[in-house]
Amino acid sequence: MKILHYSLGFPPYRSGGLTKYCMDLIRVQKEKGHDVALMWPGKFFLSGHFVRFKKSTKKVNSVGKVESVELMNPLPVPLDEGITDFDAYTRECKNPEAFEKMLKEIKPDVIHIHTLMGLYREFLEVAKEQGIRLIFTSHDYFGICPKVTMFRNGDVCNGDCSRCRECNQGALSIKKIKLMQSSTYRFLKDSPPVKLMRKRHRSQFFREEVVEETPLEMTEEQINYREDYMELRHYYLGMLELVDEIQFNSSVTEMVYRQFIPKSVRGRVINISHENIRDCRRKKEFSNPLNIIYLAPPKPFKGYGILREALDELWEEGNENFRLHIYGNSVPKADYLTIHKQFDYSELEQIFETMDLLVAPSIWYETFGFTVLEALSFGVPVLVSNRVGCKDLLDGGYFGMVIQPTKEDLKMAIQYATEHPELLKEYNRRIVEEMDLSKVLHFSEEIEAMYGEE
């Protein structure tokens, strides 16, 4: 089978969960003998907006050689910075025949789309005309939310476009986006000065901003902005209507998407994994005090704030039967807190060996949550909010604790775990003896079945 993936690009220029998932899937598909290529949004030319393609071969660690199809003069790639220049993101392709020519040369049986960023609508239309099956994986909420997270003012967003302007006011300019997609930036991205600038920028990205509530009586300008963002969402939803099926990586992601996409759009939940996760489950001995591990960034949308509040209250009330461990982040000190240096993935087994409970109290709609799967793969019990996609693996609470993302629920759950260590021991037994991880660890087989359906 000839498979053409569309993603943001190759590592190390592109990183993150989306890129890792795509590379892992390509690796597995190549091992099975499939012919695989990756199309990605590349650099811009100063002259005109005509699309062209540059084909080459890229070598990726653990994947090997991959056919590269660079889309020159793509639409802008906003990442998770937001959108304010609507026309630049929805402009019509001047020469859609370039898509027709490229697809006839590559002859893919299926196109697996991992993001709509940088992609022209005309590409999907041409692929449909050629009878090529289109699959889309919902890695984030781009297309519904220009900021990709559906998170605002410390809680999930209800999709009200009248407030999008405030959320997107820090969007990158088109000039800066073009610079970030240039060959020069790819070369300099990991240089010390650029890495420092990126770190400073990202440290401010998820700060807890307060966006003024939209008054009941909106001004004409606010109404216009609302209509602009509604029209932008409608544009992307129209692209999703062209795909044959959506792979939702969790029931949480499907729930969010189903609020907006037409009912006619087909989709199914297929949980995901990555190449480093192995089945290393074993029976554990639990410590006193309880060692709690938190592996996410200490940001509001990840629930770190309510976790600290819950633990502060427990400690002040005299419950000292726990210790919290975080890694590679600078946060305010606490008597119960141990801050460890950043670790390498190869050290994860050793780390989980000494941990009793992983906590993932996300407030945002987390599309999956690899840290939860990683903990389960070592037999470590987990405590997650019902907004974490990986809760799908917990069978409604049978294999782990699932709570509301509130300080009160966190406090009660951790209090109960410290007072009833037999609960964690039973979770460990169930995870080791009863949980079927084979389906999620071999998710590529379900993906391949999706490719071949009519």
Side-chain angles (χ1 to χ4, degrees), residues 240-251:
L240 291 178
E241 285 189 82
L242 292 171
V243 305
D244 292 285
E245 194 164 3
I246 296 177
Q247 175 212 351
F248 301 109
N249 54 10
S250 71
S251 61

Side-chain angles (χ1 to χ4, degrees), residues 433-451:
E433 296 181 0
E434 301 179 41
M435 177 176 274
D436 182 9
L437 283 179
S438 61
K439 188 175 181 180
V440 66
L441 294 180
H442 302 287
F443 69 93
S444 63
E445 296 175 6
E446 286 193 83
I447 298 294
E448 195 168 319
M450 181 185 286
Y451 286 173

